[in-house]
Structure formats: structure tokens, C-alpha cells
Amino acid sequence: MPRRTPLVIGHRGAPGYRPEHSRSSYALAFELGVDAVEPDVVVSRDGVLVVRHENEISGTTDVAERPEFADRRATRTVDGNALTGWFTEDFTWDELSTLHCRERIADLRPSSATFDGEQTVLRLRDVLDAAREASLDQGREIGVVLEIKHATYFASLGWDVAALVEAELREAGWDAGQWPLVVESFESTVLLALKERGIPASYVYLLEAAGRPFDLAAAQGKNAPTYAHTASPAGLDGLVGRVDGISVDKRMILAPDRLGRTSGPSPVVADAHERGLRVFTWTCRPENRFLIGQFRTRGGPSEFGDWEGEWSVIRDAGIDGVFVDHPDLGVEFFRR
């Protein structure tokens, strides 16, 4: 069987080189040849879809250094976890648009941190427009893999996130199937709600390596299926006809033992393919900190380890899409 050539997806742009979700991060990802980019969306106080990995933004913006926002510091329980910081839902878009992006893991990526403070926070509309413009400029299709974050949490604040996403996609002209679109979430309820609204896209269910999805846990408690069950053959059977694919933590493919070694890919990819489901995986990063033990080398957590060895196991599993922080490495390796 010929090896699949997976989609190479710029995870939050090109965060190996620029602060995640910044305009320059996306621009660099386009330049380096990705098939798609992945914006995460959360909600502002006035219902704007803001591109941030989390709604708590102290680690990825300069909000903590802005004295006019000092009184917005708060503690919230998001998906069952108590967090203290600054949250998008406490700011209007006009306020958020004044914040500047910064590197989330500056100790690991000091070069990226040199770009701190240069660019302001983006909306989903900004990324959709940028992907379309890059497609036209480069004469090729560049897609968007849109991740919806914390839909159940935002519903508790009165926001129908599926309705917000639908409205934004229609207003931006991404609702006619002209541009490649994938919608993903760790919560199947918001995926199905958006699908029912008729937005043409591939719908992909994100799976953690452990735990339960918050939307189902909130509704069913301990009776909610675990992510591990969902990735089993019986769980995958239940996804057929409801979603188009799954996106799994790479450890679910590598299946390392307690010593951090893998003997080859797990059957999850083959099991999903047997049922007509696509499989994406996240996140391929070259630094030692992010590699399983078998592929770490000397030199500290920020040094590149044997990333090609780890990525080879993932590639050979036959995945359909891979999220990367360093698009140049991902494009070269997975299209080799």
C-alpha cells in the first residue's frame, strides 16, 4: 500500500519561530508551505471569536502588565479546573485588540520571544481572511482547521458558540465549501450542533490520551465515555456517520511504555480507517521536552532530539493530518 501524504497543519501558525496565534506566526506558516493553519477560538465579552489557545490569556499576551486591566484579574473554573488570571470573556473585543502577543514558552523558545509585543491579538475573521489571501497569492489552496474551545463553559455564560461560529463563517464567505475547512473540538456536542447548521466542513473529534470530554462529563458524570473508550473499536463504531474523523494525542499512536519507548504505532489509526474515519495527530515538535523518552537526546529540553525517529513512527502509522510547530520541518519530512 502506498504511504499516505498527510496534511501538514501549522499549529497556531508557526509557533516554533513566532509567538503563537500572532499575525506573523500565520504569515510564516503560509510562506513555509503548510496545507492549513489551526486557529483556536474563544469568546470575548461582546461575543467576538478571538484567536487564543485558552480563554485565560496572561501567558500569551501582555495583559498582566497593563495597569488599566489589573482589576480584571479573577479566578474561574473552566472545564472543572480552577484558574487564576485574565479571561477573554471579561474583555470587549476593542479592549482585547490592544493586547500584544507574547511567546508562551520563552524558556524553550527564546528566539520566538524576541518578537514579543510586536503584534496584537487576532479575531477568527482575521485568520480566515489571511488564509484566503495567502491562497490567492500563492496560487494554491490553504485551509483552516478551526478548533472550538470550551463550548460548554461559554454556554454557561450565555453564548451559543456554534451560532457564533456559523455567523462568522458565513460573513467571511467560508460557508460555501469554496475554501478547505475542518472544524474540530474536544466536545462532540458543539461539533454536531455546527454540523446541523449546514456549514460544509470536515468535522473532527479531538481525543485526549486520558480523561473524559467535559461536555459529556457535565451531562452524564461518571457515565460519560472516556476518551480511551472512544478510541477503541467499539467507541469508533459510535462515531461513524456523526463525524468525519478523529484527532488524537500523538501518545495514542506512539503508545510508549513506562520507560518512554514505543514498539511501533498502536492500532488506533488502522481501526479508524477501517471505519472510514480520517485521523489527525497533535503535536509534532522537535524539542526534547516534547519527545517521548526513546527519542530524547543530550543537550537539555530546548535542544532538538531525534524528532525524525519519533515522527517516522507517526508517519508510518498512515495518518491523514499532522499538526506541527515548525512548518518547514513538517513540510519537508512528511512530504519527503
Side-chain angles (χ1 to χ4, degrees):
M1 179 182 296
R3 177 182 292 155
R4 294 170 183 251
T5 300
L7 293 175
V8 178
I9 304 159
H11 180 239
R12 311 174 203 169
Y17 304 113
R18 301 288 189 276
E20 64 185 43
H21 291 315
S22 64
R23 189 174 293 277
S24 63
S25 183
Y26 287 108
L28 183 58
F30 300 142
E31 180 184 332
L32 294 177
V34 296
D35 298 300
V37 291
E38 182 238 17
D40 304 296
V41 295
V42 292
V43 184
S44 73
R45 190 170 74 191
D46 50 348
V48 175
L49 293 171
V50 182
V51 177
R52 291 285 92 191
H53 180 241
E54 295 293 341
N55 57 324
E56 200 290 293
I57 54 174
S58 61
T60 59
T61 74
D62 60 353
V63 66
E65 299 171 2
R66 299 284 291 274
E68 69 270 36
F69 298 137
D71 63 348
R72 307 285 179 92
R73 191 171 187 266
T75 298
R76 301 273 188 271
T77 300
V78 182
D79 294 0
N81 300 309
L83 303 172
T84 298
W86 286 260
F87 297 83
T88 58
E89 61 268 24
D90 295 329
F91 295 80
T92 65
W93 166 245
D94 284 347
E95 292 171 325
L96 290 169
S97 69
T98 70
L99 300 178
H100 293 83
C101 302
R102 63 176 14 173
E103 174 55 49
R104 181 173 53 86
I105 45 176
D107 60 325
L108 206 67
R109 295 173 176 171
S111 177
S112 175
T114 64
F115 295 91
D116 284 0
E118 291 190 359
Q119 296 177 323
T120 52
V121 171
L122 301 175
R123 303 164 299 173
L124 174 59
R125 179 61 182 271
D126 299 320
V127 177
L128 295 173
D129 289 348
R132 177 163 45 206
E133 291 166 9
S135 297
L136 295 172
D137 289 345
Q138 297 185 23
R140 64 187 185 91
E141 287 189 337
I142 301 174
V144 167
V145 180
L146 166 59
E147 181 178 346
I148 300 173
K149 306 299 293 266
H150 309 305
T152 299
Y153 170 77
F154 283 113
S156 73
L157 303 180
W159 293 111
D160 182 339
V161 181
L164 293 176
V165 172
E166 178 194 14
E168 188 81 326
L169 291 172
R170 294 196 188 283
E171 185 176 338
W174 278 71
D175 63 328
Q178 181 181 4
W179 306 99
L181 176 65
V182 176
V183 181
E184 61 178 8
S185 179
F186 287 102
E187 301 183 30
S188 60
T189 49
V190 72
L191 286 181
L192 298 176
L194 187 62
K195 184 178 181 181
E196 288 173 359
R197 290 173 174 271
I199 295 294
S202 292
Y203 289 87
V204 172
Y205 191 17
L206 284 158
L207 303 181
E208 294 268 18
R212 290 178 169 84
F214 183 73
D215 58 335
L216 300 184
Q220 304 173 27
K222 292 184 179 180
N223 292 324
T226 64
Y227 285 119
H229 170 76
T230 303
S232 71
L236 294 171
D237 285 342
L239 298 181
V240 174
R242 301 175 69 226
V243 297
D244 300 295
I246 58 174
S247 184
V248 300
D249 184 323
K250 68 177 183 179
R251 290 174 295 172
M252 298 171 72
I253 296 174
L254 295 167
D257 61 21
R258 61 186 180 86
L259 298 178
R261 300 186 64 85
T262 179
S263 58
S266 75
V268 64
V269 178
D271 289 343
H273 283 163
E274 286 178 5
R275 291 157 176 82
L277 298 169
R278 301 168 73 192
V279 183
F280 295 175
T281 191
W282 46 275
T283 302
C284 283
R285 299 174 169 122
E287 294 101 339
N288 276 323
R289 180 185 293 181
F290 301 116
L291 300 173
I292 65 170
Q294 177 179 350
F295 300 108
R296 293 175 186 164
T297 57
R298 294 182 179 180
S302 64
E303 296 297 318
F304 287 11
D306 180 18
W307 55 272
E308 291 183 290
E310 184 181 276
W311 294 11
S312 291
V313 179
I314 292 169
R315 177 199 61 203
D316 294 346
I319 56 166
D320 301 285
V322 57
F323 293 88
V324 298
D325 279 8
H326 299 73
D328 53 339
L329 302 184
V331 167
E332 194 280 330
F333 182 85
F334 289 103
R335 295 183 190 158
R336 183 181 300 164

